[in-house]
Amino acid sequence: MYPTFPQVTGGDAQWAARLRGFDPFLDELDHAQTIDDAQDIRELMKIAAVERSVAFTFPSMPEIFHGTIMTRPGARNSGPPLVLVDVSAAGLDTTHWTKGIPVNFGFFDGHEYIGCRTSFAGSVGQIMALIGPRVLYRVAPVGRERRAVPRDTAVIARFVLPGEGQRVCWLREVGRASIRGSIEAGPLHRPGLPLPLSITLPDGAVLHANAALTQMRLREDQTRDLVLDVEVGAPEFAERLAACGQGRTPREPTPTPQTWSAP
């Protein structure tokens, strides 16, 4: 990855420092998680609209640029959805650019970087339009990588939430030191909350782990999405947990029409 401090045209030093260790050029995706589920993409793009700050790069240029998402992606009457980015801080004038130029853009979801390969779709003044993503790549900090749990595989975590009692969490992503899953609707708890838990693997084995909540938010269906840092104990147990995830080769699927619901 990129261990050195990146120079980001148009971005302040504090925001640029968040890119340390990540690859805005999307050249190194061996450890990235591929996200091609329409609902997951829709929810992540809503996070991008709230985050607003994005990094974008071009394959033919060495610079990293900073931009600001101007609108939440929405459905159009025809064609794919667009992402509109204000590039004024980067000093770019895209008015006369040719449509179809490859563009990489990305944003932060907590401590993780979400990236996309897309293309230039036109501009109005200093607002650059990009084709909305059909695939996103999630890159976690080193040591916190996760893989998706196959849909026909059940990996279940159980823990006690303050004021709620025991909750059952169906895990959707697993790694040696990080897991992600969903529980039923309810209050959002603070990051850092310690959660001793037990994890039932597909073969029925139960692993016990110390965990800390790193993120919790509501999904569109009102279930709660949460990410936990976990310490399973013995390295072989961590390997067994990580092995429940499926490795996937990053790919761009055959384009299919997608829309995002109105804000």
Side-chain angles (χ1 to χ4, degrees):
M1 288 296 185
Y2 286 70
T4 58
F5 183 87
Q7 297 298 317
V8 182
T9 303
D12 62 62
Q14 184 176 6
W15 187 86
R18 298 179 68 186
L19 288 172
R20 187 191 304 273
F22 295 108
D23 172 21
F25 295 93
L26 304 183
D27 290 330
E28 303 175 11
L29 293 174
D30 290 345
H31 299 289
Q33 181 186 355
T34 303
I35 301 170
D36 53 16
D37 178 80
Q39 179 180 346
D40 289 341
I41 292 174
R42 180 168 59 247
E43 294 193 359
L44 285 170
M45 291 307 298
K46 289 182 178 179
I47 291 171
V50 173
E51 169 76 20
R52 297 202 69 195
S53 286
V54 296
F56 58 96
T57 62
F58 305 92
S60 60
M61 301 175 68
E63 291 88 358
I64 302 171
F65 299 95
H66 176 266
T68 305
I69 287 185
M70 298 303 296
T71 59
R72 178 172 304 202
R76 298 194 300 165
N77 292 331
S78 63
L82 298 177
V83 179
L84 305 181
V85 181
D86 185 341
V87 298
S88 57
L92 291 178
D93 181 0
T94 62
T95 305
H96 301 293
W97 287 17
T98 302
K99 291 182 180 181
I101 294 173
V103 183
N104 305 310
F105 85 89
F107 55 92
F108 286 96
D109 176 19
H111 299 296
E112 300 178 345
Y113 187 75
I114 310 295
C116 166
R117 290 173 173 159
T118 184
S119 61
F120 176 68
S123 64
V124 178
Q126 294 179 309
I127 307 300
M128 176 176 66
L130 303 175
I131 299 295
R134 295 183 175 90
V135 170
L136 293 172
Y137 300 108
R138 180 189 292 276
V139 183
V142 175
R144 293 290 183 267
E145 299 89 351
R146 299 185 301 274
R147 294 297 187 193
V149 176
R151 293 184 184 276
D152 59 352
T153 301
V155 185
I156 302 170
R158 293 176 173 85
F159 47 81
V160 175
L161 286 174
E164 297 189 54
Q166 187 177 78
R167 288 293 175 261
V168 175
C169 178
W170 294 83
L171 300 185
R172 295 183 289 117
E173 302 168 9
V174 294
R176 289 175 48 85
S178 179
I179 58 177
R180 186 187 202 105
S182 299
I183 59 176
E184 69 273 27
L188 300 182
H189 295 268
R190 60 177 175 82
L193 179 69
L195 292 174
L197 51 81
S198 61
I199 303 173
T200 303
L201 302 183
D203 62 4
V206 178
L207 304 180
H208 297 279
N210 293 317
L213 180 67
T214 59
Q215 180 175 286
M216 179 183 283
R217 62 168 173 259
L218 286 177
R219 289 168 58 86
E220 285 184 351
D221 59 7
Q222 296 305 298
T223 59
R224 287 174 288 179
D225 177 272
L226 66 160
V227 178
L228 299 171
D229 281 350
V230 297
E231 184 179 346
V232 179
E236 59 267 27
F237 293 160
E239 290 292 347
R240 289 187 67 184
L241 176 61
C244 296
Q246 59 183 1
R248 297 184 61 182
T249 302
R251 62 177 178 83
E252 297 285 353
T254 301
T256 55
Q258 292 184 9
T259 61
W260 283 275
S261 56

